[in-house]
Amino acid sequence: MEEARTTYTLDDALLSVGFGKFQALILVYAGMGWVAEAMEIMLLSFVGSSVQEEWNITPNKESLLTSVVFGGMLVGAYSGGVVSDNYGRRKGFLFTSLVTAVAGFLSSFSPNYICLITSRFIVGIGLGGAHVFASWFLEFIPAPNRGTWMAVYQISWTVGTILEASLAWFIMPTLGWRWLLAVSSLPAFVLLLFYNIAPESPRYLSMRSKADAVCMLEKMARMNKMMLPHGTFTSDPKSEFDINHDSSETTPLITHQICETSTISKDTKTEVGLISVFYKLLSPKLARTTLLLWFVYFGNAFAYYGIVLLTSELTIKCNWNAPLLSVSKDNSYRDIFVTSFAELPGLLLSAAIVDRIGRRPSMLILLFTNCFLLIPLFWHQNELLTTSLLFGARACIMGSFGILCVYAPEVYPTSLRTTGVGVANAISRIGAMICPLVAVGLVKGCYQIAAISLFEIVIFLTGLAVMFFPLETKGRRLTDTL
């Protein structure tokens, strides 16, 4: 009697390979992408006032320097996702790295205000696609500890904010804002420098070519000094892209050189149009998840930038002379440097609990704790207590955002993952843009109770939306298609 043939899936292979040297290098590369985005966002806290002084622009034009970046991110978040889902994760982060690096560096040579906001808008387009790094990294991690490592990955954002605050502290007083813009573009150039050795996602490859997927898994196993499961590799049998009938049992051990030169047939790419994307995201299977995710992304972004706003302004007793992300020179560099550290405990806490109690419970704990910490700020408190409460609130909202960035890629199939996350990120940029428009007037007029009430309501409703998420993705295998 013929012995039954055994097979193994991509998730089985990732579990056997484990998290080793290969994934650590992926983490470093993806983390550099997140550092690059954080630095480009963080520098908005420093350049506005200097540009205003040099070119004598109005406060509204100074605020527009921030708004155009978020507007560009709105475009780039969708574009980066489409590129990544159609042409590969590597092409997706090549797009974001190239645009961010070139436009960021050239913006330092801007001869006038129009050129500056134009180049910063293009930088925003590049930054909007940075979510591709998270999805790319996610697809290399075994399911049991996926949440923990994704939360650890989020720490690179905080590293970027601290690094940018440090650079501004040293560069701005002596060399000026142009040098800060130029130096802040360097991490994106580092990504381009090492792009050729960055591997393609094995999950993306498995949907296009089994031979390429096996090649990548072999490389991972060798570097981690582990073994793949015995048997024949099989991709998701329901995969609509599994039309290349290369079988791993007929494929000899593929060498490193073959892997590097292998190409994906154009016929197997999926062209995703705007209407098609929204049709899939709002299909009966995904509509509830998608709409709730959009609201939670919006709420987290609104709350995050709102808490940054409160941190920089309530602690100086409502002395409002500057819009969001524009900080007075008396204490800007030191205070932003110190408050950036608030995100570290939040991310470390999220990393500790996300794989133990699950994604939804973790987000709920952090969001409702955030609400609790803001309650005393309905009334004026001394500077130390105000700073401490906002320190804790920023830690919680950053932890919640970190877990959300773990959860969102897990609920979407591989064929739609980066596009779905990209659209959700675009929604979050709307929250980031609306926050200063709605909240700045309240806090600027010292309407502290109204401002805190607004943030409490948004954060509470965000927590309620999390409660209605239909899936808990803790330990759940990633899916390839709807």
Side-chain angles (χ1 to χ4, degrees):
M1 183 174 66
E2 183 181 0
E3 184 178 350
R5 186 176 63 177
T6 60
T7 61
Y8 67 92
T9 65
L10 179 59
D11 289 289
D12 296 329
L14 292 177
L15 192 61
S16 296
V17 169
F19 192 101
K21 182 180 179 181
F22 190 96
Q23 284 85 353
L25 293 174
I26 297 295
L27 173 60
V28 171
Y29 190 87
M32 182 59 68
W34 215 226
V35 167
E37 178 175 6
M39 290 178 66
E40 291 287 354
I41 292 293
M42 194 67 182
L43 66 80
L44 300 173
S45 302
F46 307 106
V47 300
S49 59
S50 296
V51 171
Q52 183 182 33
E53 289 181 3
E54 181 173 332
W55 289 339
N56 195 28
I57 61 176
T58 65
N60 286 338
K61 287 185 176 181
E62 180 188 350
S63 299
L64 189 59
L65 286 172
T66 297
S67 299
V68 295
V69 175
F70 287 127
M73 294 176 76
L74 191 65
V75 176
Y78 169 75
S79 303
V82 170
V83 170
S84 178
D85 278 336
N86 279 282
Y87 302 103
R89 309 312 190 217
R90 293 180 76 250
K91 292 295 190 297
F93 58 69
L94 174 63
F95 163 81
T96 184
S97 301
L98 185 62
V99 173
T100 301
V102 174
F105 183 73
L106 291 179
S107 67
S108 66
F109 297 97
S110 299
N112 54 52
Y113 175 77
I114 297 298
C115 290
L116 181 60
I117 62 170
T118 301
S119 61
R120 297 313 296 176
F121 176 80
I122 298 173
V123 170
I125 294 176
L127 295 176
H131 63 85
V132 175
F133 286 104
S135 297
W136 177 66
F137 176 58
L138 175 87
E139 293 175 347
F140 286 94
I141 310 174
N145 55 0
R146 192 168 56 220
T148 299
W149 283 110
M150 284 297 293
V152 170
Y153 161 74
Q154 300 296 327
I155 294 176
S156 55
W157 174 276
T158 302
V159 171
T161 63
I162 294 172
L163 180 58
E164 186 65 26
S166 303
L167 288 173
W169 201 347
F170 287 102
I171 292 176
M172 289 293 288
T174 55
L175 299 175
W177 62 270
R178 294 181 184 274
W179 275 93
L180 184 63
L181 290 180
V183 174
S184 298
S185 67
L186 291 180
F189 279 108
V190 172
L191 293 169
L192 294 175
L193 183 64
F194 292 97
Y195 171 76
N196 283 335
I197 63 174
E200 182 55 90
S201 159
R203 190 167 294 275
Y204 176 86
L205 290 175
S206 71
M207 296 174 59
R208 269 65 180 180
S209 168
K210 289 184 181 179
D212 287 343
V214 170
C215 170
M216 184 57 61
L217 293 172
E218 290 281 358
K219 288 175 61 177
M220 293 170 63
R222 286 195 297 270
M223 187 171 290
N224 288 357
K225 297 181 180 179
M226 302 294 286
M227 296 292 294
L228 291 175
H230 294 291
T232 302
F233 173 75
T234 179
S235 58
D236 184 354
K238 297 179 181 179
S239 175
E240 62 186 284
F241 302 107
D242 192 16
I243 61 176
N244 185 344
H245 296 289
D246 293 339
S247 179
S248 58
E249 77 260 29
T250 62
T251 304
L253 183 61
I254 305 172
T255 65
H256 178 81
Q257 181 179 4
I258 294 176
C259 185
E260 292 297 325
T261 59
S262 179
T263 58
I264 299 171
S265 171
K266 183 177 180 181
D267 293 337
T268 62
K269 292 188 177 72
T270 306
E271 301 300 329
V272 181
L274 181 61
I275 296 177
S276 176
V277 165
F278 281 93
Y279 177 79
K280 291 181 179 180
L281 290 177
L282 297 175
S283 64
K285 290 184 178 180
L286 289 177
R288 177 180 170 185
T289 299
T290 294
L291 293 175
L292 289 172
L293 269 179
W294 287 354
F295 184 83
V296 174
Y297 262 92
F298 177 93
N300 269 274
F302 188 96
Y304 175 82
Y305 290 103
I307 290 170
V308 172
L309 165 72
L310 294 174
T311 302
S312 63
E313 300 299 341
L314 288 185
T315 54
I316 58 175
K317 299 181 180 179
C318 228
N319 180 22
W320 286 90
N321 295 310
L324 178 64
L325 295 177
S326 179
V327 185
S328 62
K329 289 185 177 180
D330 293 338
N331 56 7
S332 61
Y333 307 133
R334 182 194 62 204
D335 287 355
I336 293 178
F337 178 81
V338 172
T339 55
S340 295
F341 281 93
E343 298 176 3
L344 283 176
L347 290 170
L348 291 174
L349 176 61
S350 67
I353 64 177
V354 66
D355 276 329
R356 287 180 171 84
I357 66 175
R359 283 50 163 159
R360 289 184 301 182
S362 299
M363 280 189 278
L364 288 173
I365 289 172
L366 292 168
L367 287 168
F368 290 136
T369 300
N370 203 325
C371 286
F372 178 78
L373 290 171
L374 291 179
I375 289 175
L377 296 179
F378 278 113
W379 306 274
H380 178 71
Q381 307 293 340
N382 63 61
E383 184 174 348
L384 178 60
L385 181 57
T386 298
T387 301
S388 300
L389 290 169
L390 290 173
F391 187 97
R394 185 165 176 178
C396 288
I397 197 63
M398 190 62 192
S400 170
F401 221 148
I403 295 172
L404 180 61
C405 291
V406 176
Y407 181 81
E410 291 179 328
V411 296
Y412 285 117
T414 303
S415 58
L416 200 61
R417 182 164 296 122
T418 57
T419 303
V421 175
V423 174
N425 267 277
I427 299 296
S428 76
R429 304 311 169 190
I430 297 175
M433 288 188 291
I434 290 178
C435 178
L437 298 176
V438 175
V440 165
L442 294 176
V443 191
K444 199 167 186 178
C446 278
Y447 298 112
Q448 186 165 327
I449 294 178
I452 298 298
S453 297
L454 175 63
F455 294 123
E456 288 276 29
I457 291 171
V458 170
I459 296 169
F460 182 78
L461 291 177
T462 301
L464 287 182
V466 171
M467 293 178 65
F468 287 100
F469 277 154
L471 291 175
E472 170 54 60
T473 57
K474 171 188 172 184
R476 181 174 177 264
R477 295 190 174 194
L478 299 179
T479 59
D480 288 335
T481 58
L482 294 177

